[in-house]
Amino acid sequence: MEKVKKMFRYENVGFLFVLPAFLYMLIFVGYPIIRNIILGFQDVNAGNLVRGAKNFVLFANYTELFRDEIFVSSLLNTLRFTVLCLVFQFAVGFLLALFFNQRFSFAKPVRGILLVPWMIPITVTALMFKLLFATDIGVLNFILRTLHLTNANIEWLTTPGTALFALICANVWIGIPFNMILISTGLTTIPKELYESASIDGAGKVQTFFSITLPLLKPTIESVLILGFIYTFKVYDLVYVMTSGGPVNSTHMLSTYSYKLSFEMFKYSKGSAVANILLLILLVVGLFYIRITTKEEA
């Protein structure tokens, strides 16, 4: 009884408010992750799932995966897709943030309109770009034919190289507003007095940019790049709606290949192993992000 009274003391009230969220995360996030990690070390497929035979095979699933050409290409596709998306969406987002940071009419309304791609559900965006890059009824092919840049329709989503290009275009379009708004927020934290002092000392815009803007934006840039990496690396719905990993498995990412192994080929353990590798990579990046932020705060 005394322990219960101590629990409900004023200084412990905060723990009671956090408890529901902690239990929710433990049941709906913690348990699936732990269960998936265990499943990755077992041999579970459609044949032995009903019988309940879950033999531990330790790292056999992982050694098989690294001999699997589709898995290796999925890993390379994920890295290539993530890096290219980050480069383009960060560059465009950074330029837009600098542009809209200037004081001119309609800056705020236009910046608000540019946030629409980030607000639209990803599946809707994927369907839009699927129609945009469609072979026969696609808007892009219609424009190219109208301008006489091509005589025949380009099969954007059914050719390996162009299919990945279409996915990158769609994801860059989604990610630009995210980069723009975070960098814009970082720009507002830079004191205007620094720019005024620099102009009095005779510094030009290029010198001001490299001596004031970039150094003071370093924490923001690091956050944008690392968060962008995490969001992009685990992409699933965009790829699944637009290409489903095709053509000929050429646009599979780690997430889509994990889904295919688990729910199309019914190789649950191998699918879990792919998901665990994805989790491990993102965990390393997340820890790196935490280390950077805590180091800067210290």
Side-chain angles (χ1 to χ4, degrees), residues 97-169:
L98 291 175
F99 177 73
F100 287 110
N101 193 48
Q102 308 299 317
R103 295 179 180 179
F104 63 92
S105 301
F106 304 109
K108 292 181 179 179
V110 175
R111 186 169 58 184
I113 292 171
L114 289 176
L115 287 175
V116 172
W118 177 253
M119 299 166 63
I120 296 175
I122 295 179
T123 50
V124 176
T125 302
L127 289 171
M128 288 168 52
F129 273 85
K130 191 172 184 178
L131 290 173
L132 180 69
F133 285 99
T135 303
D136 296 323
I137 60 172
V139 177
L140 190 57
N141 276 335
F142 174 76
I143 294 172
L144 292 175
R145 289 198 313 271
T146 303
L147 297 175
H148 302 289
L149 296 175
T150 181
N151 296 323
N153 289 328
I154 300 174
E155 297 182 354
W156 296 100
L157 298 177
T158 54
T159 306
T162 55
L164 188 61
F165 169 77
L167 291 174
I168 291 170
C169 289

Side-chain angles (χ1 to χ4, degrees), residues 268-283:
Y268 303 111
S269 292
K270 288 187 71 174
S272 296
V274 176
N276 290 335
I277 292 171
L278 176 61
L279 173 66
L280 180 62
I281 294 171
L282 294 180
L283 182 63

Side-chain angles (χ1 to χ4, degrees), residues 28-40:
F28 294 101
V29 178
Y31 173 74
I33 290 175
I34 295 171
R35 186 69 189 88
N36 195 76
I37 292 172
I38 296 171
L39 188 60

